[in-house]
Amino acid sequence: MIWQDAYRLAPWRDLERLHQEVNRVFSDLGRPARTQEYPLVDIWTSEDEALVTAELPGIDAKDLELAVVGNTLTLRGRRVRPELKKGEAYHRQERRYGEFVRSVDLPFKVDSEKVGASFQRGQLTIQVPRAESDKPRKIAIQAS
């Protein structure tokens, strides 16, 4: 009798496990997968500007493009796959190749005319100045 009860309840346990797995999958839908975020960026901000750095090993500066709209900085680029010589084949291929786009929202409006970027040893550094109209202004208080 006990064995029959355990046998009848087993499908419900499997159904509960399936329910938990479906919930886990759908709870991650709103978040970008860590493997899809490329390139990885670091962002520092001050009252006057933001400094954005991105590691882009193996990419030429000519294959990169930056754009600023409002407070969103967008980096586009591509990593070109090296061509194999005749008779060569990949033993393992883990690096990504092809086009990528990464957009980040900054906490202030940007003066797009003054954005500057440099690329050295695979690291892109972008200086993003805050728009004058977005900077806090001190207002003098007159006493009578």
Side-chain angles (χ1 to χ4, degrees):
M1 186 68 129
I2 294 173
W3 181 80
Q4 289 175 344
D5 289 340
Y7 180 74
R8 281 187 296 175
L9 293 176
W12 295 113
R13 280 188 301 215
D14 292 340
L15 188 59
E16 178 63 26
R17 271 189 242 128
L18 176 64
H19 178 77
Q20 290 173 352
E21 183 64 17
V22 168
N23 283 343
R24 185 191 64 77
V25 167
F26 281 104
S27 70
D28 290 341
L29 280 181
R31 291 182 235 142
R34 189 70 162 145
T35 58
Q36 292 177 348
E37 295 177 5
Y38 186 82
L40 299 176
V41 297
D42 290 332
I43 303 172
W44 296 268
T45 60
S46 67
E47 283 188 19
D48 297 326
E49 69 176 357
L51 184 67
V52 180
T53 61
E55 293 180 353
L56 298 160
I59 297 177
D60 289 326
K62 67 177 175 51
D63 293 326
L64 296 173
E65 178 184 313
L66 283 173
V68 177
V69 176
N71 68 330
T72 302
L73 174 70
T74 301
L75 171 60
R76 293 180 185 277
R78 65 187 192 116
R79 176 180 282 154
V80 180
R81 181 185 314 269
E83 292 188 25
L84 296 176
K85 297 175 186 169
K86 187 175 181 180
E88 291 182 335
Y90 283 106
H91 171 68
R92 175 175 289 184
Q93 185 178 9
E94 296 178 353
R95 295 175 59 199
R96 291 182 176 180
Y97 296 96
E99 296 185 5
F100 59 86
V101 177
R102 179 76 192 269
S103 294
V104 292
D105 291 330
L106 299 171
F108 49 74
K109 290 181 184 173
V110 174
D111 185 350
S112 60
E113 297 295 320
K114 296 181 180 177
V115 173
S118 63
F119 190 65
Q120 295 177 354
R121 296 187 341 228
Q123 180 168 314
L124 178 65
T125 303
I126 310 162
Q127 291 179 303
V128 187
R130 187 174 192 165
E132 287 295 325
S133 62
D134 195 57
K135 289 182 183 178
R137 288 183 283 178
K138 291 185 179 181
I139 300 171
I141 301 173
Q142 297 180 359
S144 52

